[in-house]
Tab-separated table of all heavy atoms in Angstrom:
chain	number	residue	atom	x	y	z
A	1	MET	N	100.008	104.524	95.212
A	1	MET	CA	100.953	103.735	94.459
A	1	MET	C	102.379	104.209	94.733
A	1	MET	O	103.298	103.415	94.737
A	1	MET	CB	100.642	103.792	92.971
A	1	MET	CG	101.545	102.866	92.182
A	1	MET	SD	101.403	102.841	90.410
A	1	MET	CE	99.710	102.742	90.049
A	2	SER	N	102.553	105.496	94.973
A	2	SER	CA	103.901	106.008	95.209
A	2	SER	C	104.496	105.443	96.490
A	2	SER	O	105.706	105.262	96.576
A	2	SER	CB	103.881	107.534	95.250
A	2	SER	OG	103.078	107.983	96.326
A	3	SER	N	103.652	105.147	97.467
A	3	SER	CA	104.172	104.548	98.689
A	3	SER	C	104.693	103.135	98.413
A	3	SER	O	105.669	102.711	99.019
A	3	SER	CB	103.114	104.517	99.778
A	3	SER	OG	102.045	103.683	99.401
A	4	THR	N	104.046	102.442	97.501
A	4	THR	CA	104.502	101.104	97.121
A	4	THR	C	105.855	101.194	96.434
A	4	THR	O	106.754	100.401	96.707
A	4	THR	CB	103.482	100.419	96.186
A	4	THR	OG1	102.216	100.384	96.843
A	4	THR	CG2	103.909	99.013	95.854
A	5	LEU	N	106.009	102.178	95.553
A	5	LEU	CA	107.294	102.369	94.881
A	5	LEU	C	108.390	102.743	95.878
A	5	LEU	O	109.530	102.289	95.750
A	5	LEU	CB	107.172	103.445	93.801
A	5	LEU	CG	106.294	103.079	92.604
A	5	LEU	CD1	106.131	104.267	91.668
A	5	LEU	CD2	106.863	101.901	91.865
A	6	ALA	N	108.034	103.539	96.885
A	6	ALA	CA	109.004	103.905	97.904
A	6	ALA	C	109.421	102.683	98.722
A	6	ALA	O	110.600	102.517	99.049
A	6	ALA	CB	108.415	104.974	98.820
A	7	LYS	N	108.464	101.816	99.032
A	7	LYS	CA	108.771	100.594	99.777
A	7	LYS	C	109.677	99.684	98.965
A	7	LYS	O	110.612	99.087	99.505
A	7	LYS	CB	107.485	99.853	100.150
A	7	LYS	CG	106.670	100.534	101.222
A	7	LYS	CD	105.396	99.767	101.484
A	7	LYS	CE	104.501	100.481	102.472
A	7	LYS	NZ	103.233	99.762	102.699
A	8	ILE	N	109.409	99.579	97.656
A	8	ILE	CA	110.244	98.751	96.784
A	8	ILE	C	111.674	99.289	96.770
A	8	ILE	O	112.634	98.524	96.894
A	8	ILE	CB	109.655	98.695	95.362
A	8	ILE	CG1	108.392	97.837	95.362
A	8	ILE	CG2	110.670	98.151	94.363
A	8	ILE	CD1	107.638	97.833	94.051
A	9	ALA	N	111.817	100.599	96.639
A	9	ALA	CA	113.148	101.206	96.618
A	9	ALA	C	113.877	100.984	97.946
A	9	ALA	O	115.081	100.703	97.964
A	9	ALA	CB	113.034	102.698	96.328
A	10	GLU	N	113.140	101.069	99.053
A	10	GLU	CA	113.733	100.860	100.378
A	10	GLU	C	114.232	99.417	100.539
A	10	GLU	O	115.342	99.179	101.027
A	10	GLU	CB	112.679	101.164	101.447
A	10	GLU	CG	113.164	101.029	102.862
A	10	GLU	CD	112.064	101.327	103.865
A	10	GLU	OE1	111.221	102.208	103.578
A	10	GLU	OE2	112.055	100.676	104.918
A	11	ILE	N	113.433	98.460	100.098
A	11	ILE	CA	113.817	97.056	100.205
A	11	ILE	C	115.021	96.767	99.312
A	11	ILE	O	115.949	96.060	99.713
A	11	ILE	CB	112.629	96.136	99.865
A	11	ILE	CG1	111.572	96.238	100.966
A	11	ILE	CG2	113.081	94.689	99.706
A	11	ILE	CD1	110.281	95.520	100.659
A	12	GLU	N	115.016	97.318	98.099
A	12	GLU	CA	116.162	97.120	97.201
A	12	GLU	C	117.436	97.694	97.802
A	12	GLU	O	118.507	97.096	97.688
A	12	GLU	CB	115.880	97.738	95.833
A	12	GLU	CG	114.870	96.944	95.025
A	12	GLU	CD	114.488	97.613	93.728
A	12	GLU	OE1	114.712	98.839	93.570
A	12	GLU	OE2	113.962	96.905	92.840
A	13	ALA	N	117.329	98.848	98.478
A	13	ALA	CA	118.499	99.450	99.131
A	13	ALA	C	119.006	98.553	100.263
A	13	ALA	O	120.217	98.380	100.424
A	13	ALA	CB	118.147	100.834	99.665
A	14	LYS	N	118.080	97.966	101.036
A	14	LYS	CA	118.476	97.054	102.110
A	14	LYS	C	119.187	95.831	101.550
A	14	LYS	O	120.160	95.351	102.129
A	14	LYS	CB	117.252	96.594	102.909
A	14	LYS	CG	116.732	97.597	103.881
A	14	LYS	CD	115.562	97.006	104.658
A	14	LYS	CE	114.930	98.013	105.563
A	14	LYS	NZ	113.792	97.458	106.308
A	15	MET	N	118.689	95.331	100.421
A	15	MET	CA	119.298	94.151	99.812
A	15	MET	C	120.719	94.450	99.340
A	15	MET	O	121.603	93.601	99.455
A	15	MET	CB	118.439	93.646	98.654
A	15	MET	CG	117.145	93.003	99.111
A	15	MET	SD	116.080	92.485	97.755
A	15	MET	CE	117.024	91.127	97.125
A	16	ILE	N	120.932	95.639	98.808
A	16	ILE	CA	122.262	96.027	98.348
A	16	ILE	C	123.221	96.154	99.530
A	16	ILE	O	124.380	95.743	99.458
A	16	ILE	CB	122.195	97.334	97.532
A	16	ILE	CG1	121.477	97.070	96.206
A	16	ILE	CG2	123.581	97.901	97.277
A	16	ILE	CD1	121.147	98.330	95.423
A	17	GLN	N	122.742	96.703	100.639
A	17	GLN	CA	123.585	96.932	101.813
A	17	GLN	C	123.896	95.648	102.573
A	17	GLN	O	124.901	95.561	103.275
A	17	GLN	CB	122.910	97.917	102.772
A	17	GLN	CG	122.824	99.322	102.229
A	17	GLN	CD	122.015	100.229	103.139
A	17	GLN	OE1	121.397	99.768	104.094
A	17	GLN	NE2	122.011	101.512	102.827
A	18	THR	N	123.040	94.645	102.453
A	18	THR	CA	123.210	93.408	103.214
A	18	THR	C	124.298	92.548	102.593
A	18	THR	O	124.288	92.265	101.406
A	18	THR	CB	121.889	92.609	103.250
A	18	THR	OG1	120.867	93.431	103.798
A	18	THR	CG2	122.033	91.359	104.090
A	19	GLN	N	125.225	92.140	103.441
A	19	GLN	CA	126.301	91.266	102.995
A	19	GLN	C	125.716	89.894	102.667
A	19	GLN	O	124.856	89.394	103.385
A	19	GLN	CB	127.343	91.143	104.098
A	19	GLN	CG	128.582	90.396	103.700
A	19	GLN	CD	129.588	90.355	104.830
A	19	GLN	OE1	129.274	90.657	105.968
A	19	GLN	NE2	130.794	89.971	104.504
A	20	LYS	N	126.170	89.297	101.604
A	20	LYS	CA	125.635	88.008	101.182
A	20	LYS	C	126.501	86.871	101.719
A	20	LYS	O	127.653	86.725	101.330
A	20	LYS	CB	125.569	87.950	99.659
A	20	LYS	CG	124.531	88.887	99.076
A	20	LYS	CD	124.702	89.056	97.591
A	20	LYS	CE	123.711	90.024	97.009
A	20	LYS	NZ	123.837	91.386	97.501
A	21	ASN	N	125.949	86.106	102.659
A	21	ASN	CA	126.612	84.919	103.190
A	21	ASN	C	125.558	83.994	103.792
A	21	ASN	O	124.374	84.284	103.733
A	21	ASN	CB	127.705	85.286	104.211
A	21	ASN	CG	127.163	86.081	105.375
A	21	ASN	OD1	126.090	85.787	105.889
A	21	ASN	ND2	127.897	87.114	105.796
A	22	LYS	N	125.988	82.886	104.358
A	22	LYS	CA	125.043	81.912	104.899
A	22	LYS	C	124.186	82.503	106.015
A	22	LYS	O	123.009	82.176	106.137
A	22	LYS	CB	125.785	80.697	105.453
A	22	LYS	CG	126.324	79.775	104.406
A	22	LYS	CD	126.968	78.568	105.077
A	22	LYS	CE	127.599	77.640	104.075
A	22	LYS	NZ	128.249	76.497	104.726
A	23	ALA	N	124.761	83.355	106.826
A	23	ALA	CA	124.037	83.909	107.965
A	23	ALA	C	122.930	84.872	107.538
A	23	ALA	O	121.935	85.023	108.246
A	23	ALA	CB	125.003	84.626	108.905
A	24	THR	N	123.070	85.520	106.390
A	24	THR	CA	122.077	86.493	105.953
A	24	THR	C	121.165	85.960	104.858
A	24	THR	O	120.311	86.685	104.357
A	24	THR	CB	122.763	87.776	105.447
A	24	THR	OG1	123.593	87.453	104.335
A	24	THR	CG2	123.584	88.433	106.540
A	25	ALA	N	121.317	84.718	104.470
A	25	ALA	CA	120.528	84.149	103.378
A	25	ALA	C	119.031	84.190	103.690
A	25	ALA	O	118.217	84.517	102.816
A	25	ALA	CB	120.975	82.723	103.086
A	26	HIS	N	118.649	83.871	104.916
A	26	HIS	CA	117.228	83.875	105.291
A	26	HIS	C	116.660	85.293	105.216
A	26	HIS	O	115.568	85.498	104.680
A	26	HIS	CB	117.051	83.293	106.695
A	26	HIS	CG	115.628	83.245	107.143
A	26	HIS	ND1	114.723	82.360	106.609
A	26	HIS	CD2	114.952	83.982	108.050
A	26	HIS	CE1	113.543	82.562	107.183
A	26	HIS	NE2	113.669	83.541	108.061
A	27	HIS	N	117.406	86.251	105.737
A	27	HIS	CA	116.968	87.650	105.718
A	27	HIS	C	116.783	88.126	104.274
A	27	HIS	O	115.784	88.781	103.948
A	27	HIS	CB	117.989	88.524	106.457
A	27	HIS	CG	117.669	89.981	106.427
A	27	HIS	ND1	116.588	90.518	107.070
A	27	HIS	CD2	118.295	91.020	105.811
A	27	HIS	CE1	116.550	91.827	106.851
A	27	HIS	NE2	117.582	92.149	106.095
A	28	LEU	N	117.729	87.798	103.400
A	28	LEU	CA	117.617	88.198	102.000
A	28	LEU	C	116.419	87.522	101.333
A	28	LEU	O	115.744	88.129	100.503
A	28	LEU	CB	118.908	87.866	101.248
A	28	LEU	CG	120.083	88.801	101.538
A	28	LEU	CD1	121.355	88.259	100.907
A	28	LEU	CD2	119.799	90.195	101.042
A	29	GLY	N	116.150	86.294	101.702
A	29	GLY	CA	114.989	85.595	101.165
A	29	GLY	C	113.689	86.270	101.559
A	29	GLY	O	112.767	86.394	100.749
A	30	LEU	N	113.606	86.711	102.817
A	30	LEU	CA	112.413	87.430	103.272
A	30	LEU	C	112.244	88.747	102.518
A	30	LEU	O	111.129	89.123	102.151
A	30	LEU	CB	112.488	87.697	104.778
A	30	LEU	CG	112.421	86.470	105.685
A	30	LEU	CD1	112.630	86.889	107.138
A	30	LEU	CD2	111.101	85.761	105.522
A	31	LEU	N	113.353	89.449	102.297
A	31	LEU	CA	113.298	90.701	101.552
A	31	LEU	C	112.839	90.457	100.114
A	31	LEU	O	112.038	91.224	99.571
A	31	LEU	CB	114.658	91.403	101.561
A	31	LEU	CG	115.112	91.977	102.903
A	31	LEU	CD1	116.526	92.539	102.782
A	31	LEU	CD2	114.161	93.046	103.390
A	32	LYS	N	113.330	89.377	99.503
A	32	LYS	CA	112.920	89.054	98.138
A	32	LYS	C	111.429	88.738	98.074
A	32	LYS	O	110.738	89.111	97.118
A	32	LYS	CB	113.711	87.862	97.605
A	32	LYS	CG	115.126	88.193	97.212
A	32	LYS	CD	115.812	86.962	96.660
A	32	LYS	CE	117.243	87.247	96.295
A	32	LYS	NZ	117.908	86.061	95.718
A	33	ALA	N	110.924	88.062	99.095
A	33	ALA	CA	109.499	87.729	99.133
A	33	ALA	C	108.657	88.995	99.250
A	33	ALA	O	107.634	89.137	98.564
A	33	ALA	CB	109.206	86.789	100.298
A	34	ARG	N	109.053	89.921	100.118
A	34	ARG	CA	108.332	91.192	100.246
A	34	ARG	C	108.361	91.967	98.937
A	34	ARG	O	107.364	92.567	98.537
A	34	ARG	CB	108.953	92.057	101.341
A	34	ARG	CG	108.552	91.679	102.716
A	34	ARG	CD	108.972	92.748	103.682
A	34	ARG	NE	109.226	92.170	104.978
A	34	ARG	CZ	110.071	92.649	105.870
A	34	ARG	NH1	110.751	93.726	105.609
A	34	ARG	NH2	110.226	92.064	107.029
A	35	LEU	N	109.520	91.958	98.300
A	35	LEU	CA	109.694	92.665	97.034
A	35	LEU	C	108.758	92.082	95.969
A	35	LEU	O	108.093	92.826	95.240
A	35	LEU	CB	111.147	92.559	96.596
A	35	LEU	CG	111.636	93.480	95.505
A	35	LEU	CD1	111.478	94.935	95.899
A	35	LEU	CD2	113.095	93.197	95.212
A	36	ALA	N	108.673	90.774	95.902
A	36	ALA	CA	107.792	90.127	94.932
A	36	ALA	C	106.332	90.466	95.205
A	36	ALA	O	105.556	90.717	94.281
A	36	ALA	CB	107.994	88.619	94.970
A	37	LYS	N	105.957	90.501	96.485
A	37	LYS	CA	104.578	90.824	96.857
A	37	LYS	C	104.231	92.256	96.450
A	37	LYS	O	103.161	92.508	95.892
A	37	LYS	CB	104.398	90.644	98.362
A	37	LYS	CG	103.007	90.933	98.849
A	37	LYS	CD	102.902	90.733	100.339
A	37	LYS	CE	101.527	91.120	100.848
A	37	LYS	NZ	101.425	91.036	102.299
A	38	LEU	N	105.141	93.191	96.701
A	38	LEU	CA	104.892	94.586	96.345
A	38	LEU	C	104.824	94.766	94.832
A	38	LEU	O	103.978	95.509	94.326
A	38	LEU	CB	105.974	95.491	96.942
A	38	LEU	CG	105.939	95.648	98.455
A	38	LEU	CD1	107.172	96.381	98.944
A	38	LEU	CD2	104.677	96.375	98.889
A	39	ARG	N	105.676	94.085	94.105
A	39	ARG	CA	105.639	94.190	92.643
A	39	ARG	C	104.347	93.601	92.089
A	39	ARG	O	103.780	94.099	91.130
A	39	ARG	CB	106.848	93.493	92.033
A	39	ARG	CG	108.117	94.287	92.234
A	39	ARG	CD	109.299	93.616	91.604
A	39	ARG	NE	110.496	94.445	91.730
A	39	ARG	CZ	111.722	94.007	91.619
A	39	ARG	NH1	111.945	92.736	91.368
A	39	ARG	NH2	112.741	94.823	91.753
A	40	ARG	N	103.869	92.518	92.718
A	40	ARG	CA	102.608	91.909	92.300
A	40	ARG	C	101.456	92.880	92.545
A	40	ARG	O	100.521	92.959	91.744
A	40	ARG	CB	102.384	90.608	93.073
A	40	ARG	CG	101.432	89.668	92.419
A	40	ARG	CD	101.332	88.321	93.140
A	40	ARG	NE	102.602	87.786	93.580
A	40	ARG	CZ	102.923	87.531	94.856
A	40	ARG	NH1	102.065	87.753	95.818
A	40	ARG	NH2	104.099	87.036	95.174
A	41	GLU	N	101.507	93.631	93.660
A	41	GLU	CA	100.463	94.614	93.956
A	41	GLU	C	100.447	95.727	92.920
A	41	GLU	O	99.390	96.273	92.615
A	41	GLU	CB	100.667	95.209	95.346
A	41	GLU	CG	100.260	94.295	96.467
A	41	GLU	CD	100.472	94.924	97.835
A	41	GLU	OE1	100.763	96.135	97.899
A	41	GLU	OE2	100.343	94.207	98.828
A	42	LEU	N	101.614	96.086	92.401
A	42	LEU	CA	101.657	97.117	91.366
A	42	LEU	C	100.958	96.638	90.096
A	42	LEU	O	100.269	97.408	89.424
A	42	LEU	CB	103.101	97.483	91.022
A	42	LEU	CG	103.827	98.399	91.986
A	42	LEU	CD1	105.256	98.613	91.529
A	42	LEU	CD2	103.125	99.738	92.099
A	43	ILE	N	101.137	95.362	89.770
A	43	ILE	CA	100.544	94.813	88.561
A	43	ILE	C	99.038	94.635	88.728
A	43	ILE	O	98.261	95.029	87.875
A	43	ILE	CB	101.220	93.477	88.177
A	43	ILE	CG1	102.687	93.733	87.827
A	43	ILE	CG2	100.497	92.812	87.028
A	43	ILE	CD1	103.506	92.476	87.667
A	44	THR	N	98.624	94.012	89.841
A	44	THR	CA	97.205	93.803	90.105
A	44	THR	C	96.859	94.445	91.442
A	44	THR	O	97.294	93.967	92.486
A	44	THR	CB	96.855	92.303	90.173
A	44	THR	OG1	97.662	91.682	91.167
A	44	THR	CG2	97.068	91.623	88.854
A	45	PRO	N	96.106	95.524	91.436
A	45	PRO	CA	95.727	96.192	92.691
A	45	PRO	C	94.944	95.264	93.614
A	45	PRO	O	94.365	94.270	93.170
A	45	PRO	CB	94.847	97.352	92.227
A	45	PRO	CG	95.125	97.519	90.784
A	45	PRO	CD	95.576	96.185	90.274
A	46	LYS	N	94.910	95.610	94.906
A	46	LYS	CA	94.252	94.760	95.890
A	46	LYS	C	92.776	94.558	95.595
A	46	LYS	O	92.226	93.510	95.862
A	46	LYS	CB	94.394	95.362	97.292
A	46	LYS	CG	95.731	95.129	97.913
A	46	LYS	CD	95.731	95.601	99.350
A	46	LYS	CE	97.043	95.290	100.023
A	46	LYS	NZ	97.061	95.731	101.404
A	47	GLY	N	92.084	95.539	95.045
A	47	GLY	CA	90.656	95.440	94.773
A	47	GLY	C	90.317	94.449	93.682
A	47	GLY	O	89.247	93.865	93.671
A	48	ALA	N	91.235	94.237	92.748
A	48	ALA	CA	90.960	93.340	91.631
A	48	ALA	C	91.213	91.895	92.048
A	48	ALA	O	92.234	91.567	92.613
A	48	ALA	CB	91.862	93.692	90.455
A	49	ARG	N	90.252	91.033	91.757
A	49	ARG	CA	90.395	89.623	92.087
A	49	ARG	C	90.112	88.798	90.852
A	49	ARG	O	89.281	89.168	90.020
A	49	ARG	CB	89.397	89.205	93.163
A	49	ARG	CG	89.765	89.615	94.539
A	49	ARG	CD	88.763	89.009	95.479
A	49	ARG	NE	89.254	89.027	96.834
A	49	ARG	CZ	88.634	88.435	97.816
A	49	ARG	NH1	87.525	87.787	97.609
A	49	ARG	NH2	89.132	88.489	99.033
A	50	ASP	N	90.759	87.679	90.771
A	50	ASP	CA	90.474	86.744	89.695
A	50	ASP	C	89.385	85.791	90.155
A	50	ASP	O	89.377	85.350	91.298
A	50	ASP	CB	91.718	85.936	89.314
A	50	ASP	CG	92.764	86.801	88.640
A	50	ASP	OD1	92.374	87.824	88.048
A	50	ASP	OD2	93.956	86.453	88.704
A	51	GLY	N	88.487	85.465	89.257
A	51	GLY	CA	87.439	84.508	89.594
A	51	GLY	C	86.370	85.131	90.462
A	51	GLY	O	86.221	86.331	90.553
A	52	GLY	N	85.618	84.313	91.109
A	52	GLY	CA	84.545	84.780	91.961
A	52	GLY	C	83.459	83.734	91.976
A	52	GLY	O	83.584	82.666	91.377
A	53	PRO	N	82.350	84.033	92.622
A	53	PRO	CA	81.276	83.055	92.658
A	53	PRO	C	80.714	82.811	91.258
A	53	PRO	O	80.543	83.731	90.471
A	53	PRO	CB	80.227	83.682	93.567
A	53	PRO	CG	80.675	85.046	93.874
A	53	PRO	CD	82.058	85.218	93.370
A	54	GLY	N	80.457	81.567	90.957
A	54	GLY	CA	79.869	81.222	89.682
A	54	GLY	C	80.880	80.941	88.587
A	54	GLY	O	80.509	80.471	87.530
A	55	GLU	N	82.120	81.227	88.810
A	55	GLU	CA	83.128	80.973	87.794
A	55	GLU	C	83.921	79.729	88.177
A	55	GLU	O	84.097	79.434	89.343
A	55	GLU	CB	84.068	82.158	87.657
A	55	GLU	CG	83.385	83.392	87.108
A	55	GLU	CD	84.350	84.509	86.868
A	55	GLU	OE1	85.549	84.256	86.734
A	55	GLU	OE2	83.890	85.655	86.825
A	56	GLY	N	84.399	79.027	87.191
A	56	GLY	CA	85.198	77.849	87.462
A	56	GLY	C	84.513	76.590	86.964
A	56	GLY	O	83.519	76.636	86.232
A	57	PHE	N	85.023	75.470	87.390
A	57	PHE	CA	84.512	74.183	86.936
A	57	PHE	C	84.048	73.376	88.128
A	57	PHE	O	84.802	73.135	89.067
A	57	PHE	CB	85.615	73.425	86.183
A	57	PHE	CG	85.192	72.082	85.706
A	57	PHE	CD1	84.328	71.959	84.646
A	57	PHE	CD2	85.671	70.942	86.319
A	57	PHE	CE1	83.926	70.720	84.200
A	57	PHE	CE2	85.281	69.693	85.874
A	57	PHE	CZ	84.401	69.585	84.816
A	58	ASP	N	82.821	72.964	88.106
A	58	ASP	CA	82.268	72.144	89.184
A	58	ASP	C	81.552	70.958	88.550
A	58	ASP	O	80.428	71.087	88.059
A	58	ASP	CB	81.291	72.968	90.035
A	58	ASP	CG	80.799	72.188	91.234
A	58	ASP	OD1	81.425	71.175	91.611
A	58	ASP	OD2	79.773	72.592	91.811
A	59	PRO	N	82.171	69.780	88.528
A	59	PRO	CA	81.576	68.646	87.842
A	59	PRO	C	80.372	68.058	88.554
A	59	PRO	O	79.565	67.382	87.952
A	59	PRO	CB	82.702	67.633	87.786
A	59	PRO	CG	83.563	67.961	88.948
A	59	PRO	CD	83.460	69.439	89.099
A	60	GLY	N	80.222	68.322	89.831
A	60	GLY	CA	79.116	67.736	90.579
A	60	GLY	C	79.381	66.270	90.915
A	60	GLY	O	80.401	65.711	90.553
A	61	ARG	N	78.444	65.650	91.576
A	61	ARG	CA	78.614	64.246	91.956
A	61	ARG	C	77.846	63.371	90.983
A	61	ARG	O	76.759	63.720	90.508
A	61	ARG	CB	78.085	64.025	93.358
A	61	ARG	CG	78.875	64.822	94.391
A	61	ARG	CD	78.377	64.529	95.752
A	61	ARG	NE	79.050	63.330	96.235
A	61	ARG	CZ	78.919	62.852	97.447
A	61	ARG	NH1	78.122	63.446	98.300
A	61	ARG	NH2	79.572	61.773	97.809
A	62	SER	N	78.416	62.235	90.732
A	62	SER	CA	77.714	61.284	89.871
A	62	SER	C	77.716	59.924	90.542
A	62	SER	O	78.651	59.573	91.245
A	62	SER	CB	78.379	61.194	88.504
A	62	SER	OG	79.675	60.702	88.645
A	63	ARG	N	76.681	59.172	90.297
A	63	ARG	CA	76.604	57.837	90.868
A	63	ARG	C	76.959	56.834	89.802
A	63	ARG	O	76.479	56.892	88.674
A	63	ARG	CB	75.213	57.556	91.385
A	63	ARG	CG	74.883	58.424	92.566
A	63	ARG	CD	73.681	57.851	93.186
A	63	ARG	NE	73.967	57.648	94.596
A	63	ARG	CZ	73.036	57.618	95.509
A	63	ARG	NH1	71.791	57.745	95.184
A	63	ARG	NH2	73.353	57.434	96.758
A	64	LEU	N	77.794	55.902	90.173
A	64	LEU	CA	78.235	54.885	89.233
A	64	LEU	C	77.578	53.545	89.490
A	64	LEU	O	77.997	52.528	89.003
A	64	LEU	CB	79.752	54.752	89.293
A	64	LEU	CG	80.530	56.016	88.921
A	64	LEU	CD1	82.024	55.783	89.154
A	64	LEU	CD2	80.283	56.402	87.491
A	65	HIS	N	76.510	53.508	90.282
A	65	HIS	CA	75.841	52.255	90.635
A	65	HIS	C	74.855	51.862	89.581
A	65	HIS	O	74.190	52.528	88.952
A	65	HIS	CB	75.095	52.386	91.971
A	65	HIS	CG	76.041	52.614	93.099
A	65	HIS	ND1	76.692	51.591	93.730
A	65	HIS	CD2	76.474	53.746	93.688
A	65	HIS	CE1	77.443	52.091	94.685
A	65	HIS	NE2	77.317	53.407	94.670
């Protein structure tokens, strides 16, 4: 987990150092996406998954004839 925190800190530092203008908007967007992904991993570890086989809603097929 500490490596994830280090990556988050590194990305935040890059975002602070990057000048904000039209030319760097795409780069900043990519950094924000990575940051969101890493923060999501902190909340829900990779091993944990939502749902699985047998869960959910499956109405099946019906005939209307």
Side-chain angles (χ1 to χ4, degrees):
M1 185 183 313
S2 63
S3 64
T4 303
L5 293 174
K7 289 178 185 178
I8 288 174
E10 182 181 325
I11 291 172
E12 287 175 342
K14 282 183 185 179
M15 289 177 70
I16 291 170
Q17 292 174 352
T18 303
Q19 187 178 14
K20 291 167 182 63
N21 58 41
K22 285 183 183 178
T24 61
H26 181 71
H27 177 67
L28 285 172
L30 293 175
L31 291 175
K32 284 182 182 182
R34 280 192 209 152
L35 195 60
K37 181 180 176 184
L38 290 171
R39 286 181 176 160
R40 201 174 318 119
E41 284 180 10
L42 282 178
I43 296 170
T44 57
K46 282 187 176 180
R49 282 186 163 187
D50 291 334
E55 293 185 21
F57 179 73
D58 185 18
R61 297 183 85 174
S62 63
R63 293 194 127 155
L64 299 175
H65 295 276

